Short mmCIF file of all heavy atoms in Angstrom, two decimals:
data_model
loop_
_atom_site.label_atom_id
_atom_site.label_comp_id
_atom_site.label_asym_id
_atom_site.label_seq_id
_atom_site.Cartn_x
_atom_site.Cartn_y
_atom_site.Cartn_z
N GLY O 347 1.88 -19.22 -6.98
CA GLY O 347 2.58 -18.07 -7.62
C GLY O 347 1.63 -16.90 -7.84
O GLY O 347 2.01 -15.76 -7.58
N VAL O 348 0.41 -17.19 -8.33
CA VAL O 348 -0.54 -16.15 -8.55
C VAL O 348 -0.93 -15.44 -7.26
O VAL O 348 -0.99 -14.23 -7.17
CB VAL O 348 -1.76 -16.66 -9.35
CG1 VAL O 348 -2.86 -15.64 -9.35
CG2 VAL O 348 -1.38 -17.06 -10.75
N VAL O 349 -1.18 -16.24 -6.22
CA VAL O 349 -1.57 -15.70 -4.93
C VAL O 349 -0.46 -14.77 -4.41
O VAL O 349 -0.64 -13.69 -3.90
CB VAL O 349 -1.93 -16.77 -3.93
CG1 VAL O 349 -2.02 -16.24 -2.50
CG2 VAL O 349 -3.26 -17.43 -4.36
N GLY O 350 0.78 -15.25 -4.48
CA GLY O 350 1.94 -14.48 -4.02
C GLY O 350 2.08 -13.14 -4.79
O GLY O 350 2.31 -12.07 -4.24
N LEU O 351 1.93 -13.22 -6.11
CA LEU O 351 2.04 -12.01 -6.96
C LEU O 351 0.95 -11.00 -6.61
O LEU O 351 1.24 -9.85 -6.40
CB LEU O 351 1.93 -12.41 -8.47
CG LEU O 351 1.93 -11.30 -9.41
CD1 LEU O 351 3.26 -10.52 -9.40
CD2 LEU O 351 1.64 -11.84 -10.81
N VAL O 352 -0.28 -11.48 -6.44
CA VAL O 352 -1.41 -10.63 -6.10
C VAL O 352 -1.18 -9.94 -4.74
O VAL O 352 -1.36 -8.72 -4.54
CB VAL O 352 -2.74 -11.36 -6.14
CG1 VAL O 352 -3.84 -10.57 -5.52
CG2 VAL O 352 -3.07 -11.72 -7.59
N SER O 353 -0.72 -10.72 -3.74
CA SER O 353 -0.49 -10.17 -2.41
C SER O 353 0.62 -9.12 -2.41
O SER O 353 0.50 -8.11 -1.70
CB SER O 353 -0.24 -11.22 -1.41
OG SER O 353 0.99 -11.86 -1.59
N MET O 354 1.66 -9.33 -3.17
CA MET O 354 2.78 -8.36 -3.22
C MET O 354 2.33 -7.05 -3.88
O MET O 354 2.67 -6.00 -3.43
CB MET O 354 4.01 -8.95 -3.89
CG MET O 354 4.66 -9.99 -3.05
SD MET O 354 6.31 -10.56 -3.60
CE MET O 354 6.14 -10.84 -5.27
N VAL O 355 1.57 -7.21 -4.94
CA VAL O 355 1.03 -5.99 -5.64
C VAL O 355 0.09 -5.23 -4.72
O VAL O 355 0.13 -4.00 -4.65
CB VAL O 355 0.40 -6.35 -7.00
CG1 VAL O 355 -0.38 -5.20 -7.58
CG2 VAL O 355 1.44 -6.87 -7.98
N ARG O 356 -0.81 -5.94 -4.03
CA ARG O 356 -1.73 -5.28 -3.10
C ARG O 356 -1.01 -4.52 -2.02
O ARG O 356 -1.38 -3.43 -1.66
CB ARG O 356 -2.68 -6.32 -2.52
CG ARG O 356 -3.74 -6.79 -3.49
CD ARG O 356 -4.65 -7.76 -2.87
NE ARG O 356 -5.51 -7.05 -1.95
CZ ARG O 356 -6.36 -7.60 -1.09
NH1 ARG O 356 -6.43 -8.95 -1.04
NH2 ARG O 356 -7.06 -6.89 -0.28
N ALA O 357 0.02 -5.15 -1.43
CA ALA O 357 0.80 -4.48 -0.40
C ALA O 357 1.49 -3.19 -0.93
O ALA O 357 1.50 -2.19 -0.23
CB ALA O 357 1.83 -5.44 0.18
N ALA O 358 2.09 -3.31 -2.12
CA ALA O 358 2.73 -2.12 -2.70
C ALA O 358 1.74 -1.00 -2.94
O ALA O 358 2.03 0.17 -2.64
CB ALA O 358 3.42 -2.53 -4.00
N LEU O 359 0.58 -1.36 -3.48
CA LEU O 359 -0.45 -0.32 -3.71
C LEU O 359 -1.00 0.25 -2.42
O LEU O 359 -1.27 1.47 -2.32
CB LEU O 359 -1.59 -0.89 -4.58
CG LEU O 359 -1.17 -1.26 -6.02
CD1 LEU O 359 -2.35 -1.96 -6.72
CD2 LEU O 359 -0.73 -0.03 -6.73
N ALA O 360 -1.14 -0.55 -1.37
CA ALA O 360 -1.59 -0.09 -0.05
C ALA O 360 -0.57 0.91 0.54
O ALA O 360 -0.95 1.96 1.06
CB ALA O 360 -1.83 -1.23 0.89
N ASN O 361 0.76 0.64 0.41
CA ASN O 361 1.73 1.48 0.87
C ASN O 361 1.71 2.85 0.16
O ASN O 361 1.80 3.92 0.73
CB ASN O 361 3.19 0.89 0.71
CG ASN O 361 3.45 -0.14 1.71
OD1 ASN O 361 2.83 -0.24 2.71
ND2 ASN O 361 4.47 -0.97 1.41
N ARG O 362 1.52 2.74 -1.15
CA ARG O 362 1.41 3.99 -1.95
C ARG O 362 0.22 4.81 -1.57
O ARG O 362 0.30 6.03 -1.45
CB ARG O 362 1.39 3.58 -3.44
CG ARG O 362 1.77 4.65 -4.35
CD ARG O 362 2.06 4.11 -5.69
NE ARG O 362 2.36 5.24 -6.56
CZ ARG O 362 2.38 5.18 -7.84
NH1 ARG O 362 2.19 3.99 -8.44
NH2 ARG O 362 2.63 6.24 -8.53
N ARG O 363 -0.93 4.16 -1.41
CA ARG O 363 -2.14 4.91 -0.99
C ARG O 363 -1.93 5.53 0.39
O ARG O 363 -2.38 6.69 0.62
CB ARG O 363 -3.31 3.95 -0.95
CG ARG O 363 -4.60 4.59 -0.52
CD ARG O 363 -5.84 3.73 -0.60
NE ARG O 363 -6.89 4.36 0.02
CZ ARG O 363 -7.59 3.88 1.06
NH1 ARG O 363 -7.27 2.72 1.51
NH2 ARG O 363 -8.54 4.58 1.64
N THR O 364 -1.30 4.84 1.31
CA THR O 364 -1.08 5.36 2.61
C THR O 364 -0.23 6.59 2.58
O THR O 364 -0.49 7.59 3.29
CB THR O 364 -0.44 4.27 3.54
OG1 THR O 364 -1.28 3.13 3.57
CG2 THR O 364 -0.21 4.82 4.96
N MET O 365 0.80 6.63 1.70
CA MET O 365 1.63 7.79 1.57
C MET O 365 0.88 8.99 0.97
O MET O 365 1.09 10.10 1.36
CB MET O 365 2.85 7.48 0.68
CG MET O 365 3.91 6.70 1.38
SD MET O 365 4.50 7.51 2.91
CE MET O 365 5.18 8.98 2.29
N ARG O 366 -0.03 8.70 0.04
CA ARG O 366 -0.79 9.77 -0.60
C ARG O 366 -1.88 10.32 0.25
O ARG O 366 -2.11 11.53 0.32
CB ARG O 366 -1.40 9.28 -1.95
CG ARG O 366 -0.48 9.29 -3.13
CD ARG O 366 -1.27 9.14 -4.42
NE ARG O 366 -2.46 8.33 -4.37
CZ ARG O 366 -2.59 7.04 -4.64
NH1 ARG O 366 -1.51 6.41 -5.06
NH2 ARG O 366 -3.72 6.43 -4.53
N GLU O 367 -2.65 9.44 0.89
CA GLU O 367 -3.88 9.83 1.56
C GLU O 367 -3.82 9.75 3.08
O GLU O 367 -4.75 10.15 3.76
CB GLU O 367 -5.01 8.95 1.08
CG GLU O 367 -5.26 8.96 -0.41
CD GLU O 367 -6.25 7.87 -0.87
OE1 GLU O 367 -6.98 7.36 0.02
OE2 GLU O 367 -6.28 7.58 -2.07
N GLY O 368 -2.76 9.13 3.60
CA GLY O 368 -2.73 8.88 5.02
C GLY O 368 -2.49 10.05 5.89
O GLY O 368 -1.94 11.09 5.51
N ALA O 369 -2.99 9.95 7.13
CA ALA O 369 -2.82 10.97 8.14
C ALA O 369 -1.45 10.90 8.76
O ALA O 369 -0.84 9.83 8.82
CB ALA O 369 -3.91 10.81 9.25
N LEU O 370 -0.90 12.06 9.03
CA LEU O 370 0.43 12.14 9.62
C LEU O 370 0.34 12.00 11.16
O LEU O 370 -0.55 12.59 11.78
CB LEU O 370 1.09 13.41 9.22
CG LEU O 370 2.55 13.59 9.61
CD1 LEU O 370 3.43 12.60 8.94
CD2 LEU O 370 3.02 15.04 9.22
N ALA O 371 1.24 11.21 11.73
CA ALA O 371 1.28 11.06 13.20
C ALA O 371 2.74 11.04 13.62
O ALA O 371 3.62 10.68 12.88
CB ALA O 371 0.59 9.75 13.61
N GLU O 372 2.97 11.52 14.83
CA GLU O 372 4.29 11.44 15.47
C GLU O 372 4.22 10.29 16.48
O GLU O 372 3.66 10.47 17.57
CB GLU O 372 4.63 12.78 16.13
CG GLU O 372 4.94 13.86 15.13
CD GLU O 372 5.48 15.11 15.78
OE1 GLU O 372 5.38 15.27 17.01
OE2 GLU O 372 5.97 15.95 15.04
N ALA O 373 4.71 9.16 16.08
CA ALA O 373 4.71 8.01 16.94
C ALA O 373 5.97 8.03 17.77
O ALA O 373 7.02 8.51 17.39
CB ALA O 373 4.66 6.77 16.10
#
């Protein structure tokens, strides 16, 4: 349960960081 919780929080924070700091591309 702890591992699952930590991985979900990390993924959410990574998505948020990508939106704030990520480069824009036209794929």
Side-chain angles (χ1 to χ4, degrees):
V348 168
V349 168
L351 177 65
V352 168
S353 69
M354 289 191 314
V355 169
R356 287 182 70 189
L359 293 174
N361 284 343
R362 200 164 175 194
R363 179 175 170 240
T364 302
M365 283 305 298
R366 277 195 330 263
E367 303 170 17
L370 187 61
E372 289 188 346

